[in-house]
mmCIF file of all heavy atoms in Angstrom:
data_model
loop_
_atom_site.group_PDB
_atom_site.id
_atom_site.type_symbol
_atom_site.label_atom_id
_atom_site.label_comp_id
_atom_site.label_asym_id
_atom_site.label_seq_id
_atom_site.Cartn_x
_atom_site.Cartn_y
_atom_site.Cartn_z
ATOM 1 N N PHE A 183 -21.175 -7.214 -54.560
ATOM 2 C CA PHE A 183 -21.466 -6.017 -55.349
ATOM 3 C C PHE A 183 -21.331 -6.384 -56.808
ATOM 4 O O PHE A 183 -20.338 -6.984 -57.223
ATOM 5 C CB PHE A 183 -20.479 -4.891 -55.008
ATOM 6 C CG PHE A 183 -20.575 -3.728 -55.971
ATOM 7 C CD1 PHE A 183 -21.552 -2.756 -55.808
ATOM 8 C CD2 PHE A 183 -19.706 -3.626 -57.057
ATOM 9 C CE1 PHE A 183 -21.662 -1.694 -56.710
ATOM 10 C CE2 PHE A 183 -19.810 -2.564 -57.961
ATOM 11 C CZ PHE A 183 -20.793 -1.603 -57.779
ATOM 12 N N THR A 184 -22.328 -5.995 -57.608
ATOM 13 C CA THR A 184 -22.193 -6.147 -59.055
ATOM 14 C C THR A 184 -22.541 -4.819 -59.719
ATOM 15 O O THR A 184 -23.594 -4.233 -59.458
ATOM 16 C CB THR A 184 -23.036 -7.330 -59.605
ATOM 17 O OG1 THR A 184 -22.749 -7.460 -61.004
ATOM 18 C CG2 THR A 184 -24.537 -7.141 -59.404
ATOM 19 N N GLY A 185 -21.597 -4.330 -60.512
ATOM 20 C CA GLY A 185 -21.755 -3.036 -61.169
ATOM 21 C C GLY A 185 -20.485 -2.752 -61.947
ATOM 22 O O GLY A 185 -19.518 -3.522 -61.865
ATOM 23 N N PRO A 186 -20.464 -1.647 -62.692
ATOM 24 C CA PRO A 186 -19.254 -1.328 -63.465
ATOM 25 C C PRO A 186 -18.133 -0.848 -62.538
ATOM 26 O O PRO A 186 -18.408 -0.242 -61.501
ATOM 27 C CB PRO A 186 -19.716 -0.191 -64.375
ATOM 28 C CG PRO A 186 -20.857 0.438 -63.645
ATOM 29 C CD PRO A 186 -21.521 -0.642 -62.855
ATOM 30 N N GLU A 187 -16.891 -1.118 -62.943
ATOM 31 C CA GLU A 187 -15.740 -0.802 -62.099
ATOM 32 C C GLU A 187 -15.694 0.680 -61.735
ATOM 33 O O GLU A 187 -15.315 1.045 -60.619
ATOM 34 C CB GLU A 187 -14.462 -1.191 -62.842
ATOM 35 C CG GLU A 187 -13.280 -1.304 -61.939
ATOM 36 C CD GLU A 187 -12.053 -1.852 -62.666
ATOM 37 O OE1 GLU A 187 -12.197 -2.393 -63.793
ATOM 38 O OE2 GLU A 187 -10.965 -1.710 -62.097
ATOM 39 N N THR A 188 -16.108 1.526 -62.680
ATOM 40 C CA THR A 188 -16.067 2.980 -62.442
ATOM 41 C C THR A 188 -17.001 3.397 -61.308
ATOM 42 O O THR A 188 -16.860 4.485 -60.771
ATOM 43 C CB THR A 188 -16.505 3.731 -63.712
ATOM 44 O OG1 THR A 188 -17.656 3.057 -64.230
ATOM 45 C CG2 THR A 188 -15.411 3.761 -64.746
ATOM 46 N N LEU A 189 -17.986 2.567 -60.983
ATOM 47 C CA LEU A 189 -18.952 2.930 -59.935
ATOM 48 C C LEU A 189 -18.873 1.958 -58.759
ATOM 49 O O LEU A 189 -19.844 1.759 -58.029
ATOM 50 C CB LEU A 189 -20.364 2.988 -60.524
ATOM 51 C CG LEU A 189 -20.533 4.061 -61.619
ATOM 52 C CD1 LEU A 189 -21.907 3.960 -62.276
ATOM 53 C CD2 LEU A 189 -20.326 5.465 -61.069
ATOM 54 N N ASP A 190 -17.683 1.394 -58.558
ATOM 55 C CA ASP A 190 -17.463 0.511 -57.416
ATOM 56 C C ASP A 190 -17.703 1.258 -56.108
ATOM 57 O O ASP A 190 -17.483 2.468 -56.034
ATOM 58 C CB ASP A 190 -15.989 0.037 -57.403
ATOM 59 C CG ASP A 190 -15.807 -1.268 -58.163
ATOM 60 O OD1 ASP A 190 -16.819 -1.881 -58.549
ATOM 61 O OD2 ASP A 190 -14.638 -1.655 -58.374
ATOM 62 N N PRO A 191 -18.080 0.530 -55.061
ATOM 63 C CA PRO A 191 -18.172 1.175 -53.741
ATOM 64 C C PRO A 191 -16.783 1.641 -53.289
ATOM 65 O O PRO A 191 -15.772 1.171 -53.811
ATOM 66 C CB PRO A 191 -18.693 0.062 -52.824
ATOM 67 C CG PRO A 191 -18.543 -1.214 -53.576
ATOM 68 C CD PRO A 191 -18.460 -0.891 -55.024
ATOM 69 N N GLU A 192 -16.784 2.553 -52.321
ATOM 70 C CA GLU A 192 -15.526 3.103 -51.830
ATOM 71 C C GLU A 192 -14.578 2.005 -51.381
ATOM 72 O O GLU A 192 -14.947 1.169 -50.558
ATOM 73 C CB GLU A 192 -15.835 4.010 -50.635
ATOM 74 C CG GLU A 192 -15.417 5.423 -50.853
ATOM 75 C CD GLU A 192 -15.628 6.244 -49.596
ATOM 76 O OE1 GLU A 192 -14.738 6.261 -48.734
ATOM 77 O OE2 GLU A 192 -16.705 6.851 -49.499
ATOM 78 N N LYS A 193 -13.367 2.048 -51.933
ATOM 79 C CA LYS A 193 -12.352 1.011 -51.618
ATOM 80 C C LYS A 193 -12.131 0.879 -50.118
ATOM 81 O O LYS A 193 -12.015 -0.223 -49.599
ATOM 82 C CB LYS A 193 -11.020 1.414 -52.269
ATOM 83 C CG LYS A 193 -10.686 0.621 -53.496
ATOM 84 C CD LYS A 193 -9.178 0.667 -53.786
ATOM 85 C CE LYS A 193 -8.867 -0.169 -55.001
ATOM 86 N NZ LYS A 193 -9.323 0.483 -56.245
ATOM 87 N N LEU A 194 -12.063 2.025 -49.446
ATOM 88 C CA LEU A 194 -11.781 2.019 -48.010
ATOM 89 C C LEU A 194 -12.817 1.172 -47.257
ATOM 90 O O LEU A 194 -12.456 0.371 -46.396
ATOM 91 C CB LEU A 194 -11.791 3.457 -47.479
ATOM 92 C CG LEU A 194 -11.552 3.599 -45.986
ATOM 93 C CD1 LEU A 194 -10.103 3.283 -45.627
ATOM 94 C CD2 LEU A 194 -11.910 5.014 -45.511
ATOM 95 N N PHE A 195 -14.097 1.347 -47.602
ATOM 96 C CA PHE A 195 -15.151 0.595 -46.917
ATOM 97 C C PHE A 195 -15.004 -0.901 -47.178
ATOM 98 O O PHE A 195 -15.182 -1.733 -46.292
ATOM 99 C CB PHE A 195 -16.541 1.061 -47.364
ATOM 100 C CG PHE A 195 -16.906 2.450 -46.899
ATOM 101 C CD1 PHE A 195 -17.748 3.242 -47.666
ATOM 102 C CD2 PHE A 195 -16.435 2.952 -45.703
ATOM 103 C CE1 PHE A 195 -18.110 4.515 -47.246
ATOM 104 C CE2 PHE A 195 -16.793 4.224 -45.262
ATOM 105 C CZ PHE A 195 -17.630 5.009 -46.045
ATOM 106 N N VAL A 196 -14.681 -1.236 -48.433
ATOM 107 C CA VAL A 196 -14.533 -2.651 -48.799
ATOM 108 C C VAL A 196 -13.339 -3.239 -48.055
ATOM 109 O O VAL A 196 -13.425 -4.329 -47.465
ATOM 110 C CB VAL A 196 -14.359 -2.793 -50.331
ATOM 111 C CG1 VAL A 196 -14.045 -4.232 -50.715
ATOM 112 C CG2 VAL A 196 -15.613 -2.307 -51.055
ATOM 113 N N GLU A 197 -12.232 -2.488 -48.056
ATOM 114 C CA GLU A 197 -11.016 -2.994 -47.393
ATOM 115 C C GLU A 197 -11.220 -3.133 -45.886
ATOM 116 O O GLU A 197 -10.815 -4.134 -45.296
ATOM 117 C CB GLU A 197 -9.823 -2.073 -47.688
ATOM 118 C CG GLU A 197 -9.269 -2.324 -49.078
ATOM 119 C CD GLU A 197 -8.361 -1.215 -49.572
ATOM 120 O OE1 GLU A 197 -8.043 -0.291 -48.783
ATOM 121 O OE2 GLU A 197 -7.972 -1.264 -50.757
ATOM 122 N N GLU A 198 -11.870 -2.141 -45.286
ATOM 123 C CA GLU A 198 -12.120 -2.215 -43.832
ATOM 124 C C GLU A 198 -12.972 -3.439 -43.500
ATOM 125 O O GLU A 198 -12.705 -4.139 -42.528
ATOM 126 C CB GLU A 198 -12.876 -0.968 -43.356
ATOM 127 C CG GLU A 198 -11.976 0.213 -43.058
ATOM 128 C CD GLU A 198 -12.776 1.486 -42.747
ATOM 129 O OE1 GLU A 198 -14.036 1.446 -42.758
ATOM 130 O OE2 GLU A 198 -12.129 2.502 -42.502
#
Side-chain angles (χ1 to χ4, degrees):
F183 169 82
T184 185
E187 198 173 346
T188 44
L189 298 173
D190 269 351
E192 241 185 86
K193 255 202 178 73
L194 178 71
F195 291 149
V196 174
E197 282 164 7
E198 276 173 0

